[in-house]
Amino acid sequence: MYQLGIVKRNIQRADRSAVDQLANFGSATVHEAMGRLGLMKPYLRPIYAGAHVAGTAVTVLLHPGDNWMMHVAAEQIREGDVVVAAVTADCTDGFFGDLLATSFQARGARGLIIDAGVRDIKDLTAMGFPVWSKAISAKGTIKATLGSVNITVVCAGAVVHAGDVIVADDDGVVVVPAALAQQTADAAAVREANEAAKRAKFAVGVLGLDLYDMRGTLAKAGLKYID
Amino acid sequence: MYQLGIVKRNIQRADRSAVDQLANFGSATVHEAMGRLGLMKPYLRPIYAGAHVAGTAVTVLLHPGDNWMMHVAAEQIREGDVVVAAVTADCTDGFFGDLLATSFQARGARGLIIDAGVRDIKDLTAMGFPVWSKAISAKGTIKATLGSVNITVVCAGAVVHAGDVIVADDDGVVVVPAALAQQTADAAAVREANEAAKRAKFAVGVLGLDLYDMRGTLAKAGLKYID
Amino acid sequence: MYQLGIVKRNIQRADRSAVDQLANFGSATVHEAMGRLGLMKPYLRPIYAGAHVAGTAVTVLLHPGDNWMMHVAAEQIREGDVVVAAVTADCTDGFFGDLLATSFQARGARGLIIDAGVRDIKDLTAMGFPVWSKAISAKGTIKATLGSVNITVVCAGAVVHAGDVIVADDDGVVVVPAALAQQTADAAAVREANEAAKRAKFAVGVLGLDLYDMRGTLAKAGLKYID
Amino acid sequence: MYQLGIVKRNIQRADRSAVDQLANFGSATVHEAMGRLGLMKPYLRPIYAGAHVAGTAVTVLLHPGDNWMMHVAAEQIREGDVVVAAVTADCTDGFFGDLLATSFQARGARGLIIDAGVRDIKDLTAMGFPVWSKAISAKGTIKATLGSVNITVVCAGAVVHAGDVIVADDDGVVVVPAALAQQTADAAAVREANEAAKRAKFAVGVLGLDLYDMRGTLAKAGLKYID
Amino acid sequence: MYQLGIVKRNIQRADRSAVDQLANFGSATVHEAMGRLGLMKPYLRPIYAGAHVAGTAVTVLLHPGDNWMMHVAAEQIREGDVVVAAVTADCTDGFFGDLLATSFQARGARGLIIDAGVRDIKDLTAMGFPVWSKAISAKGTIKATLGSVNITVVCAGAVVHAGDVIVADDDGVVVVPAALAQQTADAAAVREANEAAKRAKFAVGVLGLDLYDMRGTLAKAGLKYID
Amino acid sequence: MYQLGIVKRNIQRADRSAVDQLANFGSATVHEAMGRLGLMKPYLRPIYAGAHVAGTAVTVLLHPGDNWMMHVAAEQIREGDVVVAAVTADCTDGFFGDLLATSFQARGARGLIIDAGVRDIKDLTAMGFPVWSKAISAKGTIKATLGSVNITVVCAGAVVHAGDVIVADDDGVVVVPAALAQQTADAAAVREANEAAKRAKFAVGVLGLDLYDMRGTLAKAGLKYID
């Protein structure tokens, strides 16, 4: 009835400059800069440590056990995109492996976020193509059912519109709505600047109790010290 | 009544040459070559990255919290075997550590697949003895109850007969019935050959849509492109 | 009514010498030396491989989504402590990141055990500050509700009193009551000594069946060998 | 930055007549009528068997362990609404009990869908106030952090806009976008009509193989019968 | 390559008289009579309380999200069968609802065991058609991929051959190999007879310590009583 | 080394009058009266709806798959006790069934809380012997390893000392330290009295916003209403 069997070709990608600025920050900083919103669930994990990408979302909606739309999505990828794959029901199958990764990478994709499984992880690691997934599984898929590309999806608990910014690192995956990309980058920069100063103080033994001036509030809340 | 307290000494191991051929392929390729069958559940994970083994199964059925039969199994190991340990109920205890690994390795085992927990993983990693398990746990076990060795077991959702071929890598664990070892190796070789050609095309930007000639089928299924 | 809003300043830490001895043993050995008790649940995993710490517990009780008490706990840390954080209900938020780690490390903490989530894991790894957690999550927390510091807590299924010894490595986390520290260290040393001899025998092919003299007991229990 | 601390007072509720029509169908039928879309994850379960409601969504976004916004949401409820509560991170606390249920019911709410825990279930059952939740937990919550009311949320994997139709029964919970309410009701009616005829045939032993004329397709796909 | 796309028409069902005898015992008793083997995992739960069936297995192997083979299986059902449905990968979709239940019931099936989801549970309950499943989900499935009927499958961790006896009640589901049906029924009868006498003694306050003469063994094992 | 193989015969049970008063309150009320502490994890569920018990804890520590100590515990039960069973590692086996229930009930036990599985639930329901467990499983156990009775245990995340008060109902299980029984009962009574008045107001449409005077605090926190 709606949304299945559709490919949106012209999507409004977030401003490239803002995306590049967001690439300087980790997912935790970006999520805080968003007002503590926009995170995908923590069950999504990178297939190798140390990957850190920012890019614009090409979304794909899949059915359990069926990766047909991944090939349809490949054509919509432009340089700097990150593919975000949602599934209509829980599934851990390996929807994606080294062949699709070769294709995605050749089209300019910086990574894949998938609310399901992935395989060929040794190859993907060697290729430097990062994937955040909820499972690693050798289980293959079929190509029989239509999903959609570039519609709004829910991936690991977060709403993603085509063109939104994805920032992913060892801590997780955060989605920044395209319209908020620049202001989020600005807020993240402010936050990061503040943190450097704090880190220096913590390193010489200053306590958060004093740095954040918490002792009064804690006492007022009723905290009691016992010897 | 049946199957507990039994050790089968003479088992029909899969043909060694076929096993060696299967060792050239990943679990995903072998599973596809089997008609997308034979995989253990993806909750089994290797204790370190990069391990890749193929071998013939020596099976052992354990009870929760009791690893007595592991010692019985050790005697049945021959060069080139992989031990496959099932448990009669869900348990995450560490049934296996560096002492048993030393014994298994000395007997010629190439690795362990266990539907439970393992411990001493730093030592096992240093020894190069790979284990695929569902948990890592320091919890020890007792030696009080009889299980069996080399009976047919269910391990992580897959049926394993003693002598079947086990192929395990970063993507998971697949079981090939002994009688199908050679034909599976042949099918895997064909599949792998095809993939190399496809990979080269994907790498220069050819789309799966064209390589697999999907556009017509997708249109017929009702896929619509929207600008 | 009880236990919330309390900070115990003077706690009885386990004997330093015993702690240092325990640092020589893995969590599996210590747990066995305790009579197979004291382990936290295996869902706690280290954020990087190879970490191995022993220290005295500073405990903190948190509420879901609120890390206020972490700052209160920081002040109670002394050289050689390990912070043990429990939460009053299941939560995977990232209660701890690189700023708090800088503070804890400056105060002398050797690591953190947390029955919840942690973030900034790339930074924590670079700093060499090990954390055992049940999740990795970029999700931040607020500072609004009083918990307690150095009360007795339940962390990942184990009771921890302030001052108890924590031993943590790749296999998991074990708690040794302060009063039992020395006798546990002694028992661990005996156990470890025995294991070296056994390992040498296993390495040359001796079977556990013979080393532990199990054949008679197995036969008596009814084990049957079938050809 | 965006979306937190907001209450939308004027929302576009789905057409009442369409909602009432949808109330005649189960969640499975409605989901099929939507093209197999719109379902929340199956971990949401009703607190008692037999409840079946349809209503318009008043949405609320909560933080873990904090139910403050539930009281804000209560004021926005009109006769025929169903409250849909999302949380910014996984949490099983009991955000809702008999007092809030009394308030919601007095305001005209037909039920609650919550991606977290609920308590006082004996009372809620006696009151006939149905709740679909992911947990039952006596754990209480605090009132300290702003969320929002009537913004778009993700609840148990599904996007819900204020005013959308919620249909919930023993099989689960489905969301129908307000704009699609009437056409979904029409499609559901057609589907249900077809099912009655089929049921009668199945009841006298007609096979789906014949009723759906599958034998040819199955044979063409390669199905083989073996005696 | 093997096992997919096959329907075995002639299967060796367990002896009807033995099945009828087994119907008198609960799953716990039967599993004990088997030597504590044969149970499916406890995540399988009945959709309503109080159901208790025994029957001969018609097996079906499905793919995730695809219930095509259910219709193929229907034709193979005879009076007194229980259908056992396995899936090649984890999936919670609702593969089965009231239409298929009407068909299965008309063919003589006594129930369904499915390692996946089921829907229309209100109707199934009203019809008195019991289902043991791992999920309840309104999510529908497609009909696109061949599985098999009456091959050996693994369902919820247990091996099931076509014709084996299934005994299912509120405590779970147990599989009795067809060849062991009569001896298991006999052993269950002996066990049940013994239990009645024990129950009477327990009811008047006799302790298991005395009834089973455990005091000596416990003391020998080192049990100490402290006042 | 410590705690295993011990039975404490003389335990300090909470005051009977306080226990009887606590029996008038649900687990949610008692937990709130304790300062939102003392709850077991919500994965513990009653085997039938509507049970509500309060009693003094007899504790038992079991090993996975071994229920030997249950018989030792039976002898320590007095009228009005509730048995609390912990296990040294995660296990879902059915440690308890109708025979032990008959024995426990004859000794005066009001129920069982077990951090593992239970079986014979139809019989237990018919007997009116309530059990809160984390699983229902027909899987039986052996009698081979010593645990302890009436030592301090951790059950489903909560510390329980022998003699503490257990209050369990449809919402969960809460532990009240024996020394706090009377003051918790008093606090619960106050709380309950307050709730009745509030309920009456909510029932006629008064909002929590007004009843709790939240509008000012919400505005101060920054809540904005949008039309």
Side-chain angles (χ1 to χ4, degrees):
Chain A
M1 175 180 283
Y2 90 116
Q3 290 204 314
L4 286 179
I6 286 173
V7 183
K8 292 194 187 160
R9 274 189 294 221
N10 295 325
I11 61 173
Q12 193 67 33
R13 283 174 173 82
D15 178 68
R16 174 54 45 104
S17 155
V19 176
D20 289 348
Q21 291 166 55
L22 283 165
N24 296 317
F25 308 108
S27 60
T29 298
V30 174
H31 140 83
E32 294 281 357
M34 296 261 295
R36 296 204 295 125
L37 289 171
L39 277 176
M40 292 188 186
K41 303 242 178 199
Y43 62 70
L44 285 191
R45 298 299 305 144
I47 57 168
Y48 55 85
H52 184 171
V53 303
T56 37
V58 163
T59 65
V60 53
L61 181 65
L62 307 162
H63 288 287
D66 192 316
N67 78 344
W68 206 13
M69 300 309 287
M70 284 297 213
H71 291 282
V72 178
E75 192 176 27
Q76 305 308 315
I77 295 170
R78 294 196 195 157
E79 183 66 37
D81 283 339
V82 168
V83 179
V84 176
V87 190
T88 57
D90 284 354
C91 186
T92 60
D93 290 359
F95 288 77
F96 185 88
D98 77 308
L99 288 185
L100 269 168
T102 302
S103 177
F104 279 26
Q105 202 174 47
R107 307 288 298 183
R110 293 178 178 175
L112 169 70
I113 315 296
I114 182 164
D115 198 359
V118 61
R119 61 185 188 172
D120 298 334
I121 63 168
K122 191 184 288 189
D123 295 327
L124 299 182
T125 303
M127 291 168 64
F129 189 85
V131 177
W132 284 256
S133 72
K134 85 166 175 188
I136 292 165
S137 172
K139 183 80 166 72
T141 49
I142 60 167
K143 302 181 202 316
T145 320
L146 289 189
S148 286
V149 171
N150 282 335
I151 64 167
T152 297
V153 298
V154 174
C155 180
V159 180
V160 185
H161 306 87
D164 285 350
V165 188
I166 302 297
V167 179
D169 63 7
D170 290 328
D171 290 342
V173 183
V174 64
V175 188
V176 183
L180 299 176
Q182 186 59 53
Q183 71 186 91
T184 302
D186 293 344
V190 169
R191 192 176 168 87
E192 193 106 321
N194 285 342
E195 293 213 339
K198 287 178 198 165
R199 195 175 293 108
K201 289 190 180 165
F202 280 131
V204 295
V206 176
L207 288 166
L209 289 177
D210 300 311
L211 190 61
Y212 301 120
D213 201 13
M214 291 171 171
R215 292 188 192 273
T217 331
L218 285 162
K220 205 168 139 193
L223 190 67
K224 285 190 185 55
Y225 286 83
I226 298 172
D227 284 328
Chain B
M1 176 179 281
Y2 91 115
Q3 291 206 313
L4 286 180
I6 286 173
V7 183
K8 293 193 186 160
R9 274 188 294 223
N10 296 324
I11 62 173
Q12 192 69 32
R13 285 173 172 83
D15 177 67
R16 176 51 46 104
S17 155
V19 177
D20 289 347
Q21 292 166 54
L22 283 166
N24 296 318
F25 307 109
S27 60
T29 298
V30 174
H31 139 85
E32 294 281 358
M34 295 261 295
R36 297 202 295 123
L37 289 171
L39 279 176
M40 292 188 186
K41 303 242 178 200
Y43 62 70
L44 285 191
R45 298 299 304 145
I47 58 168
Y48 55 85
H52 184 170
V53 303
T56 37
V58 163
T59 66
V60 54
L61 182 65
L62 306 162
H63 288 286
D66 192 316
N67 79 343
W68 206 12
M69 300 309 287
M70 284 297 214
H71 290 282
V72 178
E75 191 176 28
Q76 306 307 316
I77 295 170
R78 294 197 196 156
E79 182 66 36
D81 283 340
V82 169
V83 179
V84 176
V87 190
T88 57
D90 283 355
C91 186
T92 60
D93 290 359
F95 287 76
F96 185 88
D98 78 306
L99 287 185
L100 269 168
T102 302
S103 176
F104 278 26
Q105 203 173 48
R107 307 289 298 184
R110 294 178 178 175
L112 169 69
I113 315 295
I114 181 165
D115 198 0
V118 61
R119 62 186 188 172
D120 298 335
I121 63 168
K122 191 185 288 190
D123 295 327
L124 299 182
T125 304
M127 290 168 64
F129 190 85
V131 178
W132 284 256
S133 73
K134 85 167 176 187
I136 292 165
S137 172
K139 184 79 165 72
T141 49
I142 60 167
K143 302 181 201 317
T145 320
L146 289 189
S148 286
V149 171
N150 283 334
I151 65 167
T152 297
V153 298
V154 175
C155 180
V159 180
V160 185
H161 306 86
D164 284 350
V165 188
I166 302 296
V167 178
D169 62 7
D170 290 328
D171 290 341
V173 183
V174 63
V175 187
V176 183
L180 299 176
Q182 186 58 54
Q183 71 185 93
T184 303
D186 294 344
V190 170
R191 192 175 168 87
E192 192 107 320
N194 285 342
E195 293 214 338
K198 288 179 197 164
R199 196 175 293 108
K201 289 191 180 164
F202 280 130
V204 295
V206 176
L207 288 166
L209 289 177
D210 299 311
L211 191 59
Y212 300 120
D213 201 13
M214 292 172 171
R215 293 189 192 273
T217 331
L218 285 162
K220 204 169 140 193
L223 189 68
K224 286 190 183 54
Y225 286 83
I226 297 173
D227 285 327
Chain C
M1 172 181 284
Y2 91 116
Q3 291 206 311
L4 287 179
I6 286 174
V7 183
K8 292 194 186 160
R9 274 189 295 222
N10 296 324
I11 62 173
Q12 192 68 32
R13 284 173 173 83
D15 178 68
R16 175 53 44 104
S17 155
V19 176
D20 289 347
Q21 291 166 54
L22 283 166
N24 295 317
F25 308 109
S27 60
T29 299
V30 174
H31 139 85
E32 294 281 358
M34 296 262 294
R36 296 202 295 125
L37 288 171
L39 278 176
M40 292 189 186
K41 303 243 178 199
Y43 61 70
L44 285 191
R45 296 300 305 144
I47 57 168
Y48 55 86
H52 185 171
V53 303
T56 37
V58 163
T59 66
V60 53
L61 182 65
L62 306 162
H63 288 287
D66 192 315
N67 79 342
W68 206 12
M69 300 309 286
M70 284 297 212
H71 290 282
V72 178
E75 192 176 26
Q76 306 307 316
I77 295 170
R78 294 196 197 157
E79 184 65 37
D81 284 339
V82 169
V83 179
V84 176
V87 190
T88 57
D90 284 353
C91 186
T92 61
D93 289 359
F95 288 76
F96 185 87
D98 77 307
L99 288 185
L100 269 168
T102 302
S103 177
F104 278 26
Q105 203 173 47
R107 307 289 298 183
R110 294 178 178 176
L112 169 70
I113 315 296
I114 181 164
D115 198 359
V118 62
R119 61 185 188 173
D120 299 334
I121 63 168
K122 191 185 288 190
D123 295 327
L124 300 182
T125 304
M127 292 168 62
F129 189 86
V131 178
W132 284 257
S133 71
K134 86 166 176 189
I136 292 165
S137 172
K139 183 79 166 72
T141 49
I142 61 168
K143 300 180 202 316
T145 319
L146 289 189
S148 287
V149 172
N150 282 334
I151 64 167
T152 297
V153 298
V154 175
C155 180
V159 180
V160 185
H161 306 87
D164 283 351
V165 188
I166 302 296
V167 178
D169 63 6
D170 291 327
D171 290 341
V173 183
V174 64
V175 188
V176 183
L180 300 176
Q182 187 58 54
Q183 72 186 92
T184 303
D186 294 343
V190 169
R191 192 176 167 87
E192 193 107 322
N194 285 341
E195 293 212 338
K198 287 178 198 165
R199 195 176 294 108
K201 290 191 179 164
F202 280 130
V204 295
V206 176
L207 288 166
L209 290 176
D210 299 311
L211 190 60
Y212 300 121
D213 201 12
M214 291 171 171
R215 293 187 193 273
T217 331
L218 285 162
K220 204 169 139 192
L223 190 68
K224 285 189 184 56
Y225 286 83
I226 297 172
D227 285 326
Chain D
M1 174 179 282
Y2 91 116
Q3 290 206 313
L4 287 180
I6 286 174
V7 183
K8 293 194 186 159
R9 275 189 294 222
N10 295 324
I11 62 173
Q12 192 68 33
R13 283 172 173 83
D15 178 67
R16 174 54 44 104
S17 154
V19 176
D20 289 347
Q21 291 166 55
L22 283 165
N24 296 317
F25 308 108
S27 59
T29 299
V30 174
H31 140 84
E32 294 281 357
M34 295 262 294
R36 294 202 298 125
L37 291 171
L39 278 176
M40 293 189 185
K41 303 242 180 201
Y43 62 70
L44 285 191
R45 296 300 305 144
I47 57 168
Y48 56 85
H52 185 171
V53 303
T56 36
V58 163
T59 66
V60 54
L61 182 65
L62 306 162
H63 288 287
D66 192 317
N67 78 343
W68 206 10
M69 300 309 287
M70 283 296 213
H71 290 282
V72 178
E75 192 176 26
Q76 306 307 315
I77 295 170
R78 294 196 197 155
E79 182 65 36
D81 283 339
V82 169
V83 179
V84 176
V87 190
T88 58
D90 284 353
C91 187
T92 60
D93 289 359
F95 288 75
F96 184 88
D98 77 307
L99 287 185
L100 269 168
T102 303
S103 176
F104 278 27
Q105 202 173 48
R107 308 289 298 182
R110 294 179 178 174
L112 168 70
I113 314 296
I114 182 164
D115 198 0
V118 62
R119 59 184 188 175
D120 298 334
I121 63 168
K122 191 185 290 190
D123 295 327
L124 300 182
T125 303
M127 292 169 62
F129 189 85
V131 178
W132 284 257
S133 72
K134 86 166 175 188
I136 292 165
S137 172
K139 183 81 166 70
T141 50
I142 61 168
K143 303 183 201 312
T145 320
L146 289 189
S148 286
V149 172
N150 282 334
I151 65 168
T152 297
V153 298
V154 175
C155 179
V159 180
V160 184
H161 306 86
D164 284 351
V165 187
I166 302 297
V167 178
D169 63 6
D170 290 327
D171 290 341
V173 183
V174 64
V175 188
V176 183
L180 300 176
Q182 186 58 55
Q183 71 185 92
T184 302
D186 294 344
V190 169
R191 193 177 167 86
E192 193 107 319
N194 285 341
E195 293 212 339
K198 288 178 197 164
R199 195 174 294 109
K201 289 190 179 165
F202 280 130
V204 295
V206 176
L207 288 166
L209 289 177
D210 299 311
L211 190 60
Y212 300 121
D213 201 12
M214 291 170 170
R215 293 189 192 271
T217 331
L218 284 163
K220 203 167 141 193
L223 189 67
K224 285 189 185 54
Y225 286 83
I226 298 172
D227 284 327
Chain E
M1 175 180 284
Y2 92 114
Q3 290 205 316
L4 287 179
I6 287 173
V7 184
K8 293 193 186 161
R9 275 188 294 221
N10 295 325
I11 60 173
Q12 192 69 32
R13 283 173 173 83
D15 177 68
R16 175 54 44 104
S17 155
V19 176
D20 289 347
Q21 291 166 56
L22 283 166
N24 295 317
F25 308 108
S27 59
T29 299
V30 174
H31 139 85
E32 294 281 357
M34 296 261 295
R36 296 203 297 124
L37 289 171
L39 278 177
M40 292 190 185
K41 303 242 178 200
Y43 62 70
L44 285 192
R45 296 299 305 142
I47 57 168
Y48 57 85
H52 184 170
V53 303
T56 37
V58 163
T59 67
V60 53
L61 182 64
L62 305 163
H63 289 287
D66 192 316
N67 79 342
W68 206 12
M69 299 309 286
M70 284 296 213
H71 290 283
V72 178
E75 192 176 26
Q76 305 308 315
I77 295 170
R78 294 197 197 156
E79 183 64 36
D81 284 339
V82 169
V83 178
V84 176
V87 190
T88 58
D90 283 354
C91 186
T92 59
D93 290 0
F95 288 75
F96 185 87
D98 78 307
L99 287 185
L100 269 168
T102 302
S103 176
F104 278 27
Q105 202 172 47
R107 306 289 297 184
R110 294 179 178 175
L112 170 70
I113 315 296
I114 182 164
D115 197 359
V118 62
R119 60 184 189 175
D120 299 333
I121 63 168
K122 191 185 289 190
D123 296 327
L124 300 182
T125 303
M127 291 169 62
F129 189 86
V131 179
W132 284 256
S133 72
K134 85 167 176 188
I136 292 165
S137 172
K139 183 79 166 72
T141 50
I142 60 168
K143 302 182 201 315
T145 319
L146 290 189
S148 287
V149 171
N150 282 335
I151 64 168
T152 297
V153 298
V154 175
C155 180
V159 180
V160 184
H161 306 86
D164 284 351
V165 187
I166 303 296
V167 178
D169 62 7
D170 290 328
D171 290 342
V173 183
V174 64
V175 188
V176 183
L180 300 176
Q182 186 57 56
Q183 72 186 92
T184 303
D186 293 344
V190 170
R191 193 176 167 86
E192 193 107 320
N194 285 342
E195 293 212 339
K198 289 178 196 164
R199 195 174 294 108
K201 290 191 179 164
F202 280 131
V204 295
V206 176
L207 288 166
L209 290 176
D210 299 311
L211 190 60
Y212 301 121
D213 200 13
M214 291 171 170
R215 294 187 192 272
T217 330
L218 284 162
K220 204 170 141 193
L223 190 67
K224 284 188 186 56
Y225 286 83
I226 298 172
D227 284 328
Chain F
M1 176 180 281
Y2 91 115
Q3 291 205 314
L4 287 179
I6 285 174
V7 183
K8 292 193 187 161
R9 274 188 293 221
N10 296 324
I11 61 173
Q12 193 68 34
R13 284 174 173 82
D15 178 67
R16 175 52 44 105
S17 155
V19 176
D20 289 347
Q21 292 167 55
L22 283 165
N24 296 317
F25 308 108
S27 60
T29 298
V30 174
H31 139 85
E32 294 281 357
M34 295 261 295
R36 296 203 295 123
L37 289 171
L39 278 176
M40 292 189 185
K41 304 243 178 199
Y43 63 70
L44 285 191
R45 298 298 307 141
I47 57 168
Y48 55 86
H52 185 171
V53 303
T56 37
V58 163
T59 66
V60 54
L61 182 64
L62 307 163
H63 288 286
D66 192 317
N67 79 342
W68 206 12
M69 298 310 286
M70 284 297 213
H71 291 281
V72 177
E75 191 176 26
Q76 305 307 316
I77 295 169
R78 295 196 197 156
E79 182 64 36
D81 284 339
V82 168
V83 178
V84 176
V87 190
T88 58
D90 284 353
C91 186
T92 60
D93 290 359
F95 288 75
F96 185 87
D98 77 307
L99 287 185
L100 269 168
T102 302
S103 177
F104 279 27
Q105 203 173 46
R107 307 288 299 181
R110 295 179 178 175
L112 169 70
I113 315 295
I114 182 164
D115 198 359
V118 62
R119 60 185 188 173
D120 298 335
I121 63 167
K122 191 185 290 189
D123 295 327
L124 300 182
T125 304
M127 291 169 63
F129 189 85
V131 178
W132 284 257
S133 71
K134 84 166 176 189
I136 292 164
S137 172
K139 183 80 166 72
T141 50
I142 60 167
K143 302 181 202 315
T145 321
L146 289 189
S148 285
V149 171
N150 282 334
I151 65 168
T152 297
V153 298
V154 175
C155 180
V159 180
V160 184
H161 306 86
D164 285 350
V165 188
I166 303 296
V167 179
D169 63 7
D170 290 328
D171 290 341
V173 183
V174 64
V175 188
V176 183
L180 300 176
Q182 186 57 55
Q183 71 186 92
T184 302
D186 293 344
V190 170
R191 193 176 166 87
E192 192 107 319
N194 285 341
E195 293 213 339
K198 288 178 196 164
R199 197 174 293 109
K201 290 191 179 165
F202 280 131
V204 296
V206 176
L207 288 166
L209 291 177
D210 299 311
L211 190 60
Y212 300 120
D213 201 12
M214 291 171 171
R215 293 188 192 272
T217 331
L218 284 162
K220 203 169 142 193
L223 189 67
K224 286 189 183 57
Y225 285 83
I226 298 173
D227 284 329

